[in-house]
């Protein structure tokens, strides 16, 4: 199986936390002290005369991109349930081209 990365286009993340809930459900994470992905909030703050308020989903070391789901041809649970559709699993060799297509405000996680 190809190795994948998770691309997160945080320009479009609305801060709904559905990725966190989906991950907890998929992985059976019950402890509030552990998480597979957690939403970080930055802002509101003013930088160079413009206001910024970003939500950035941050995967942890518990994240394996739902390898079993990927093997079945499915999206990782976080990406599948993302209401803004701003998360996607991409084969590693396609990451540079896809990040260039998406432009600024994109982050990459490789488990």
């Amino acid at each position: 199986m190809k190795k994948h990365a998770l691309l997160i286009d945080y320009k479009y993340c609305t801060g709904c936390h559905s990725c966190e809930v989906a991950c907890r459900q998929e992985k059976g994470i019950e402890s509030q002290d552990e998480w597979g992905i957690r939403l970080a909030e930055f802002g509101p703050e003013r930088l160079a005369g413009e206001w910024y308020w970003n939500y950035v989903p941050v995967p942890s070391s518990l994240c394996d991109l739902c390898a079993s789901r990927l093997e079945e041809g499915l999206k990782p649970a976080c990406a599948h349930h993302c209401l803004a559709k701003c998360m996607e699993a991409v084969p590693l060799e396609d990451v540079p081209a896809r990040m260039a297509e998406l432009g600024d405000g994109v982050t990459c996680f490789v488990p």
Side-chain angles (χ1 to χ4, degrees):
M1 185 176 128
K2 291 182 178 181
K3 187 156 173 124
H4 286 74
L6 182 67
L7 296 186
I8 303 168
D9 192 348
Y10 65 86
K11 296 185 297 285
Y12 299 107
C13 180
T14 62
C16 71
H17 296 270
S18 63
C19 57
E20 290 179 354
V21 174
C23 180
R24 284 189 175 283
Q25 187 83 27
E26 180 72 24
K27 297 292 183 187
I29 300 172
E30 294 181 15
S31 170
Q32 294 301 312
D33 296 330
E34 294 183 348
W35 45 278
I37 191 166
R38 179 176 283 169
L39 195 66
E41 182 177 353
F42 300 96
E45 59 189 347
R46 192 175 179 131
L47 300 170
E50 293 187 40
W51 285 98
Y52 290 88
W53 194 345
N54 290 314
Y55 298 99
V56 181
V58 180
S60 77
S61 61
L62 295 179
C63 177
D64 65 355
L65 291 184
C66 294
S68 60
R69 290 178 59 88
L70 284 176
E71 286 175 8
E72 294 176 24
L74 302 171
K75 296 178 182 180
C78 59
H80 177 74
H81 291 282
C82 178
L83 297 176
K85 300 297 181 208
C86 65
M87 304 170 80
E88 61 181 295
V90 176
L92 274 182
E93 61 270 10
D94 297 340
V95 168
R98 185 64 180 134
M99 286 185 81
E101 287 174 20
L102 295 172
D104 65 339
V106 178
T107 189
C108 176
F109 171 76
V110 181

